[in-house]
Amino acid sequence: MIDNLSMLLKVYLTAIPLIVLIGVYCIVVTHNLIRVLIGVEILTKAVTLLLIIAGYVTNNTAFAQSLIITLIVVEAVVVATAAGVILNVFKNNNSLHVRNIKHLRG
Amino acid sequence: MASSLILIPLIAVIIFNLPIMASHKRLPLLFGVVFSLWQAWLALFSAGSLWGNPVFPLPLLSGMHLQVTHLTLVMYLAIAIAAGSALVICWYTLEDGNKRFDVINLILLAIAGMNGVVSVTDLFTLYVFIEVVSIASFILIALHKDGDALEGSMKYILMSAIATLMMLSAIALFMMTTGSTAFGEIAHALRTQPDSLLRGTAVGLFLGGVFIKSGSVPFHGWLPDAYASAPAGVSVLLAGIVTKTTGIYTLIRLVTAVFGFSAHLQTLLLAIGALSIVVGALAALTQTDIKRMLAYSSISQMGYIVIGLGTGTTIGVAGAVFHLLNHAIFKTQLFANAAAVEEQTGTRNMDALGGLAEKMPVTGITSIIGFLSMAGVPPLSGFWSKLIIIIALWLSGYRWYALIAVAASVLTLAYMLSLQRRVFFGKLAAGFENLKEAELGIVLPAVILAAISIIAGIAFPFVLHRLILPIAAGW
Amino acid sequence: MTSVIDIILAVLTTLAALWAVMKGTLLRAAIALAATSVMVTIILFRLNAPLAAVFELSVCAGLITVIFMSTLSLTKPRTYEENMQHTKKRFSRYWLLPPIVGIAAIALAIFIKPFSLYFPFATSGTDVRSTLWNLRQADIIGQILILLVGVFGIIVLFKDKKKSGKEI
């Protein structure tokens, strides 16, 4: 049982940093605001996985589940708000380019 | 009892939005002001035993696991002062009735969220309430939907998303290594278990998230944009209390109650604090926009709080918390003054202003009091908190940091004098011959806050014994 | 045997995330993001978290994809020529990602040794509903607050600027 658990930990603790890497690369490199949001979503997926792994290996999945449910509700509201802001950026500039949010400096 | 400070605004907002309440548009403002006054009164004069009672008459909600410490009481007071002023200023600076109504409701929800942030005892619940306050702030910043506002809001959304994801990963790692997310159990596990890579990563990630949230240098990029581009009343709320609660309070609470002081952590806090003080003050000197200058000065003042925490001594932490309260008072007031100037003149560019004290005497005088308090001139309250922090630094042997703190006070004086000179003193700028003082609703909060600065400075022994020493006695 | 399934699931999730980032058009990227959510859902089911899995599937793969789609439909799609040109430019920025992920995968696979944790932990109860209601009441209050904030956010952000006010 212990062996299975530690193997599982190894597998997912390898995959989660990779997903984080993909999300961060997306946020840093992209020029499109919606893609930035997609990057944030990918990072959220990685965190969801990390939470359930933490619950599973400590034999506490019920607890981890209740955290994940709350996290998903928060995530949906954040995405809706961000989408609203991005839509208004588009209405003002007729473009989704990241340069539209790079005017203020200094 | 602590739960009622979260639940009453929540229930009130639901009631205000019932269809039968549609004609009472002024009621939310009235409620917000009364609630703020009540909260301030509770924080100042309630007996300690009150907070333990599950006074809220719902046995169903006895499992919220809230805890009111002396630190929490100071924060309740700061929240009441800053958010109450922001409510009034928002009401009088917005014209559109529907927008007003939405904004007041959002601020009430943010108050409930902040009261939650300062009273929870669980990392994940802390995250949830931080998100409540942050999402409300995103929306409030973007209120007018012009280019700058949307830019400030979007930057805040991104930085905040990254910060909360770092905190959440830390929470998951803590769960993995300690089996719990409660403050007490994590603190216990951190003391008793051997150190490990996962645990170190968790502490580091959480601190990183909190530093981003608090806008400490070098994670401060989003803060001036968010503060300056928000509507006038909203920047009062943001600068006065939101980033202080979600960032700095969280940092103080976690370091004192969960992580505990260690040599590495203290070095980190002192370095980030000193960097924030200096960089914030230098950047403030070069600004031409009133609100941007005040935003950079916020970064600098946050540095004092972080450096006070970094001493790791009871007196340093007490000074840091006191400065947090003072900052809520004088920064709220200075942003209220900025709102009055922006409202009456239509500009925030200091080069286009000048000599306004002649036409707006109340705003001019309160602004001087605010800036003297921030620069640490006796006997105003800002003097005492800076003094405590500097003494704490000196006593614990960080003499260089003490010197930096003193030297930066001079910088504070310099940029605030420059602000006063360019906006209020000198010859009246062209085009403002018919300028009038701002409405009572905008001026009155500033007058009250300036009065609090003076009274808290003169009645310093009372504040010290009532609010600050209990924190030093045991956090 | 069990670990083989885990490896496959982990690899598929990573590939789905990679696909979401690399895909040329935003619409396909949103679909790939939904696919990532579906993979996470399967992992949640596998790790004894059926309720969280249902939430992940309905909210993340469902609702959030709908939000992305409607945002995309309200913004202007590019023309075909613009798209071709854009794809070329994109390639120069994104071609590095798959090799980086590959190298990082190998490095992590070598670096992370299978390890077990220090303590056997006590369970706090197996029923998620009772955990949520008895231990996490503050979270539920927080959720209600967040949903209310979200409602106001939608009112404020999606109201048409022309109708909603004079001041800009």
Side-chain angles (χ1 to χ4, degrees), chain A residues 41 44-45 48 65 67-81, chain C residues 30-31 33-38 40-41 44-45 50-70 143 146-147:
Chain A
E41 270 298 289
T44 316
K45 297 289 160 262
T48 312
Q65 274 197 83
L67 300 195
I68 290 175
I69 291 169
T70 312
L71 167 65
I72 289 171
V73 171
V74 175
E75 183 190 348
V77 175
V78 171
V79 168
T81 314
Chain C
I31 293 167
L33 186 66
T36 318
S37 274
V38 172
V40 173
T41 305
L44 286 173
F45 262 118
L51 204 61
V54 171
F55 260 80
E56 174 77 26
L57 193 64
S58 59
V59 178
C60 295
L63 181 65
I64 290 181
T65 311
V66 171
I67 294 174
F68 271 112
M69 297 286 182
S70 40
Q143 280 188 35
I146 285 196
L147 288 172

Side-chain angles (χ1 to χ4, degrees), chain B residues 214-238:
Chain B
S214 64
S216 304
V217 177
F219 310 106
H220 65 289
W222 59 272
L223 190 143
D225 297 343
Y227 281 17
S229 56
V234 174
S235 31
V236 173
L237 183 77
L238 276 178

Side-chain angles (χ1 to χ4, degrees), chain B residues 339-355:
Chain B
V341 170
E342 189 184 356
E343 185 72 8
Q344 297 307 107
T345 65
T347 178
R348 303 195 305 258
N349 184 354
M350 290 190 280
D351 294 335
L353 299 167

Side-chain angles (χ1 to χ4, degrees), chain B residues 60 63 96 122 125 139 145, chain C residues 136-137 139 146 153 156 159 164:
Chain B
L60 194 69
D96 182 344
D122 181 284
T125 316
I139 300 164
K145 296 183 225 168
Chain C
R136 314 296 309 173
Q137 275 174 7
D139 287 7
I146 285 196
V156 169
K159 217 190 294 176
S164 71

Side-chain angles (χ1 to χ4, degrees), chain A residues 2-69:
Chain A
I2 291 296
D3 278 339
N4 268 349
L5 268 187
S6 58
M7 197 56 210
L8 187 118
L9 258 177
K10 179 182 156 77
V11 169
Y12 285 107
L13 287 188
T14 312
I16 289 166
L18 293 179
I19 301 174
V20 171
L21 177 71
I22 294 169
V24 170
Y25 190 93
C26 178
I27 294 174
V28 171
V29 167
T30 189
H31 288 172
N32 185 302
L33 288 174
I34 292 183
R35 240 173 238 284
V36 173
L37 200 54
I38 288 178
V40 171
E41 270 298 289
I42 289 174
L43 290 179
T44 316
K45 297 289 160 262
V47 172
T48 312
L49 282 181
L50 195 58
L51 275 171
I52 192 62
I53 299 298
Y56 190 77
V57 296
T58 55
N59 201 6
N60 220 347
T61 37
F63 184 67
Q65 274 197 83
S66 64
L67 300 195
I68 290 175
I69 291 169

Side-chain angles (χ1 to χ4, degrees), chain C residues 23-165:
Chain C
K23 216 55 189 152
T25 63
L26 283 168
L27 191 66
R28 295 207 179 146
I31 293 167
L33 186 66
T36 318
S37 274
V38 172
M39 290 312 302
V40 173
T41 305
I42 295 171
I43 294 174
L44 286 173
F45 262 118
R46 189 176 142 59
L47 299 181
N48 298 335
L51 204 61
V54 171
F55 260 80
E56 174 77 26
L57 193 64
S58 59
V59 178
C60 295
L63 181 65
I64 290 181
T65 311
V66 171
I67 294 174
F68 271 112
M69 297 286 182
S70 40
T71 314
L72 285 174
S73 68
L74 288 170
T75 56
K76 187 183 63 177
R78 272 190 292 269
T79 62
Y80 182 74
E81 288 80 23
E82 275 175 337
N83 222 356
M84 292 309 287
Q85 211 180 6
H86 180 70
T87 312
K88 272 184 207 149
K89 271 198 282 179
R90 269 183 58 78
F91 184 74
S92 66
R93 281 187 274 134
Y94 283 92
W95 68 271
L96 263 175
L97 184 56
I100 291 178
V101 170
I103 293 166
I106 295 165
L108 283 168
I110 296 167
F111 174 66
I112 297 179
K113 300 270 178 288
F115 63 95
S116 48
L117 296 154
Y118 300 111
F119 291 97
F121 294 101
T123 46
S124 66
T126 47
D127 184 20
V128 59
R129 279 158 303 176
S130 65
T131 313
L132 198 55
W133 286 112
N134 297 335
L135 298 172
R136 314 296 309 173
Q137 275 174 7
D139 287 7
I140 292 175
I141 302 293
Q143 280 188 35
I144 297 171
L145 279 169
I146 285 196
L147 288 172
L148 277 173
V149 170
V151 170
F152 280 105
I154 288 164
I155 293 173
V156 169
L157 292 172
F158 287 85
K159 217 190 294 176
D160 202 1
K161 194 153 73 174
K162 288 182 197 80
K163 269 185 272 170
S164 71

Side-chain angles (χ1 to χ4, degrees), chain B residues 104-118:
Chain B
I104 300 291
N105 277 308
L106 276 169
I107 295 180
L108 287 175
L109 291 171
I111 292 176
M114 287 189 280
N115 285 339
V117 169
V118 298

Side-chain angles (χ1 to χ4, degrees), chain B residues 139-393:
Chain B
I139 300 164
L140 287 169
I141 296 170
L143 186 69
H144 289 327
K145 296 183 225 168
D146 54 317
D148 286 357
L150 293 171
E151 176 175 344
S153 177
M154 197 64 213
K155 279 182 180 164
Y156 191 15
I157 290 178
L158 281 179
M159 293 313 287
S160 169
I162 291 165
T164 47
L165 287 169
M166 285 167 81
M167 291 184 191
L168 270 175
S169 336
I171 289 169
L173 292 179
F174 277 130
M175 249 177 87
M176 209 179 274
T177 49
T178 67
S180 167
T181 58
F183 286 175
E185 290 181 40
I186 292 175
H188 179 73
L190 286 180
R191 275 199 308 276
T192 51
Q193 284 177 18
D195 212 351
S196 73
L197 179 66
L198 279 184
R199 244 181 48 186
T201 317
V203 174
L205 279 172
F206 212 105
L207 284 177
V210 172
F211 281 132
I212 294 178
K213 275 279 181 191
S214 64
S216 304
V217 177
F219 310 106
H220 65 289
W222 59 272
L223 190 143
D225 297 343
Y227 281 17
S229 56
V234 174
S235 31
V236 173
L237 183 77
L238 276 178
I241 197 69
V242 164
T243 50
K244 279 76 217 171
T245 310
T246 55
I248 295 287
Y249 164 81
T250 312
L251 180 68
I252 297 178
R253 177 91 166 114
L254 285 175
V255 169
T256 52
V258 183
F259 301 154
F261 287 103
S262 67
H264 288 304
L265 183 58
Q266 276 178 268
T267 317
L268 180 73
L269 290 173
L270 286 168
I272 286 192
L275 202 62
S276 301
I277 291 177
V278 175
V279 173
L282 288 177
L285 270 173
T286 63
Q287 299 302 317
T288 53
D289 180 320
I290 304 183
K291 274 161 72 174
R292 279 188 95 79
M293 178 184 263
L294 291 175
Y296 276 108
S297 96
S298 263
I299 295 174
S300 176
Q301 300 302 315
M302 289 304 101
Y304 280 97
I305 299 171
V306 175
I307 215 173
L309 181 65
T311 59
T313 56
T314 47
I315 176 171
V317 175
V321 175
F322 191 22
H323 200 60
L324 186 53
L325 175 64
N326 278 333
H327 186 271
I329 297 167
F330 61 65
K331 197 47 68 73
T332 306
Q333 187 226 312
L334 287 169
F335 268 96
N337 292 141
V341 170
E342 189 184 356
E343 185 72 8
Q344 297 307 107
T345 65
T347 178
R348 303 195 305 258
N349 184 354
M350 290 190 280
D351 294 335
L353 299 167
L356 297 189
E358 194 181 310
K359 300 281 179 185
M360 304 170 71
V362 185
T363 305
I365 291 168
T366 49
S367 169
I368 292 174
I369 295 170
F371 114 72
L372 290 176
S373 181
M374 179 155 90
V377 174
L380 297 165
S381 60
F383 164 72
W384 299 106
S385 51
K386 273 195 182 173
L387 187 69
I388 296 177
I389 290 172
I390 290 166
I391 290 176
L393 282 169

